[in-house]
Amino acid sequence: MMCLITSRSLSLENRRKLLLVLARDYDLNRSQVRELIKQYLGLELPADKAQVSGSEDEGLFSSFYRIERNLRHALQPVYEVLFERLNTHPGGLRTLTILRADILSILVEENIASMRALDSYLKEKLITWLSPAALELHQITWDDPASLLEKIVAYEAVHPISNLLDLKRRLGIGRRCFGYLHPAIPGEPLIFIEVALLKDVAQTIQEVLWDSPPIPESEATCALFYSISSTQLGLAGINLGKFLIKRVVTHVKREMPHISTFATLSPIPGFMSWLLSKLASQTVLAEGDNLSQPQVDGSSSSFYENILKPKEEEALMSLPKDIATGKNGMDVMLNLLTSTSHKWIHSPELLSALKPPLMRVCARYLLQEKKRGKALDSVANFHLQNGAMVERINWMADRSEKGLSQSGGIMVNYVYRLDHIEEYAHSYFSNGEIRASSDLHRCVDPE
């Protein structure tokens, strides 16, 4: 089995079959588990444990201890032995991350209970093996081996590196790049983060990536995290970034005590898809009979919500018909934002009409839209659970095709206030509380 698992010559379909066998035939012996539970339930506790002496206690409870020990052993799946042995082999940890990537790809296509259990167990093992104590913080520089630098270029997921000059700038004066390395996967960062040393918190990605020359590092007061990328698909859902950010903050603070602000300039990847879906659904509802015919109490459909303020509606409906059309403000907004050429960013008139509603609704999306009690946006959830607060949203901060498609060009600054990181992380984890600046709260409801 181990030889088959470690072989990369197998086709994707054969790896899928092999993993299904592993998940279904090498998990628990449930008959044994049921029998042990039956034995355990048949034991009787002493009526008054406080009155049992030490020697009697050992005798009475020995059966409990024995069955509990046997249960712990029986509840360990057979494939645990395979994982443990594989982890001790050279290249084994890399193979296990590739194995989990295969498992995740299968689960995307088909939700198989035994495969979910296999994934959950392997994920727990990887979390243990990749504890912060086992990871090395490495500052990546231009002097590192070419093979490592090539991986930085290949795996940069937020702002693609265009050429060697771009890479050299990101590793040069006024910039830092840090990665987590593991001795079992040499020469390849599991995750890396890019940092800009600035006088103030940047409002656009253009000033981070392209503006030059950088300021002297001695004049910097802000360390801005502008990109964090994972290199291993098989480590999805394992929050190495949380520990990396904290280690980098500690390192930078020690190296440059004059740095007082630690912030991010982050994308908002889910905003535009959420907004367009909402605009489309509300437009359909607006055209329905449920709005044209008032209900008994005089109200409209409880599902309908005009997300625009009266002044925003008026501004959108006042636009010349040759550049913007629609039956109402939301319809106009939907038509403009679904344009694949993004013509609206080149028109001062359209930008002026779109900025107020987009900024306000984006603030609402970040602070109020949730899933299972946590921020709906994945990047927001990542930084908030790490103890950051939402400081500011920035208009036309990323004019790239990706930035416009994901968030209408808006980016957000999260700030890590060192004295409050644990407090903010705890309140977010406990009750979903999102800490944000007063300016951002006013942006949600300016009136």
Side-chain angles (χ1 to χ4, degrees):
M1 176 64 77
M2 185 178 291
C3 293
L4 289 172
I5 288 291
T6 56
S7 173
R8 299 307 297 169
S9 61
L10 290 175
S11 67
L12 181 61
E13 180 57 30
N14 284 333
R15 292 205 305 274
R16 182 181 184 278
K17 291 177 180 177
L18 182 62
L19 287 170
L20 283 171
V21 170
L22 186 66
R24 290 170 177 168
D25 298 346
Y26 291 85
D27 59 349
L28 305 180
N29 183 338
R30 290 183 174 80
S31 297
Q32 182 185 14
V33 172
R34 288 172 63 91
E35 178 59 31
L36 287 168
I37 292 174
K38 183 179 178 181
Q39 292 177 25
Y40 194 80
L41 293 175
L43 299 176
E44 290 188 13
L45 285 168
D48 187 355
K49 185 178 179 181
Q51 296 180 1
V52 179
S53 66
S55 57
E56 291 176 317
D57 179 67
E58 287 299 318
L60 288 168
F61 284 95
S62 62
S63 296
F64 283 97
Y65 298 142
R66 175 178 53 80
I67 296 176
E68 287 163 359
R69 182 183 66 250
N70 292 340
L71 260 176
R72 284 194 296 271
H73 180 74
L75 287 170
Q76 294 173 342
V78 177
Y79 47 66
E80 181 192 34
V81 177
L82 173 66
F83 294 159
E84 294 282 0
R85 289 181 180 176
L86 195 54
N87 184 50
T88 64
H89 280 236
L93 185 60
R94 184 193 298 273
T95 298
L96 286 165
T97 62
I98 296 171
L99 187 71
R100 183 162 183 258
D102 289 340
I103 294 171
L104 291 173
S105 68
I106 293 170
L107 288 172
V108 168
E109 298 176 0
E110 190 175 359
N111 189 10
I112 305 169
S114 60
M115 194 65 72
R116 285 202 315 272
L118 178 66
D119 172 60
S120 177
Y121 202 86
L122 181 52
K123 179 182 176 182
E124 289 177 8
K125 286 294 182 183
L126 288 170
I127 289 173
T128 300
W129 294 326
L130 297 173
S131 66
L135 300 172
E136 173 199 349
L137 180 67
H138 176 72
Q139 182 176 340
I140 299 162
T141 71
W142 186 251
D143 296 326
D144 274 309
S147 58
L148 191 151
L149 298 181
E150 287 171 358
K151 289 179 172 64
I152 297 300
V153 174
Y155 290 121
E156 165 56 58
V158 185
H159 304 293
I161 298 172
S162 55
N163 51 44
L164 285 179
L165 188 62
D166 185 12
L167 174 63
K168 192 169 187 178
R169 172 174 165 74
R170 297 192 194 197
L171 302 177
I173 297 172
R175 300 293 181 268
R176 296 288 188 275
C177 182
F178 297 94
Y180 257 156
L181 300 180
H182 191 283
I185 308 179
E188 183 168 344
L190 304 180
I191 187 172
F192 61 92
I193 190 168
E194 295 171 71
V195 187
L197 305 176
L198 307 168
K199 282 187 177 179
D200 301 297
V201 178
Q203 298 187 48
T204 71
I205 196 60
Q206 290 86 350
E207 63 190 279
V208 175
L209 296 180
W210 302 310
D211 287 0
S212 60
I215 65 166
E217 292 186 358
S218 60
E219 297 180 11
T221 61
C222 170
L224 185 89
F225 309 128
Y226 64 92
S227 177
I228 184 165
S229 302
S230 175
T231 67
Q232 309 293 323
L233 294 175
L235 299 183
I238 299 175
N239 192 357
L240 297 179
K242 171 183 178 180
F243 304 110
L244 178 59
I245 287 176
K246 290 183 177 180
R247 287 276 292 275
V248 169
V249 166
T250 302
H251 179 90
V252 172
K253 192 69 178 172
R254 184 175 61 248
E255 184 187 60
M256 291 173 284
H258 54 281
I259 298 291
S260 57
T261 301
F262 293 88
T264 80
L265 181 61
S266 301
I268 314 170
F271 173 54
M272 195 54 68
S273 61
W274 170 83
L275 175 60
L276 294 179
S277 175
K278 196 163 191 66
L279 288 172
S281 63
Q282 296 306 313
T283 298
V284 170
L285 284 171
E287 294 172 352
D289 293 338
N290 57 340
L291 290 183
S292 60
Q293 299 177 1
Q295 298 179 10
V296 175
D297 61 359
S299 65
S300 299
S301 168
S302 59
F303 296 104
Y304 179 76
E305 174 196 10
N306 188 345
I307 65 173
L308 299 175
K309 299 289 185 181
K311 288 183 178 179
E312 297 166 352
E313 175 88 20
E314 181 182 351
L316 288 165
M317 293 305 294
S318 299
L319 290 169
K321 299 304 179 186
D322 59 327
I323 62 172
T325 59
K327 299 175 183 177
N328 54 52
M330 287 193 293
D331 196 26
V332 171
M333 198 171 179
L334 179 63
N335 291 334
L336 289 172
L337 296 178
T338 50
S339 167
T340 54
S341 59
H342 305 294
K343 292 180 180 178
W344 57 274
I345 71 167
H346 304 296
S347 166
E349 195 171 8
L350 292 177
L351 284 171
S352 176
L354 285 170
K355 181 178 179 180
L358 278 177
M359 291 289 277
R360 181 181 57 78
V361 176
C362 183
R364 162 187 161 175
Y365 170 75
L366 290 171
L367 301 189
Q368 298 180 356
E369 297 300 322
K370 296 185 177 182
K371 180 180 180 180
R372 297 174 185 169
K374 300 296 186 289
L376 180 61
D377 188 79
S378 59
V379 174
N381 182 58
F382 169 77
H383 286 294
L384 292 168
Q385 70 181 357
N386 294 343
M389 66 173 291
V390 194
E391 181 68 20
R392 180 177 66 197
I393 54 175
N394 305 292
W395 178 245
M396 288 294 103
D398 183 0
R399 290 173 172 263
S400 68
E401 171 66 29
K402 183 179 180 181
L404 292 168
S405 298
Q406 287 189 340
S407 60
I410 302 172
M411 297 187 78
V412 55
N413 296 123
Y414 299 98
V415 172
Y416 285 86
R417 304 201 183 282
L418 303 189
D419 294 337
H420 298 285
I421 286 178
E422 296 303 327
E423 174 194 348
Y424 291 175
H426 178 73
S427 61
Y428 181 71
F429 178 80
S430 300
N431 51 39
E433 182 181 359
I434 296 176
R435 305 296 183 110
S437 65
S438 56
D439 287 345
L440 206 61
H441 282 294
R442 283 194 293 271
C443 188
V444 175
D445 192 2
E447 295 180 359

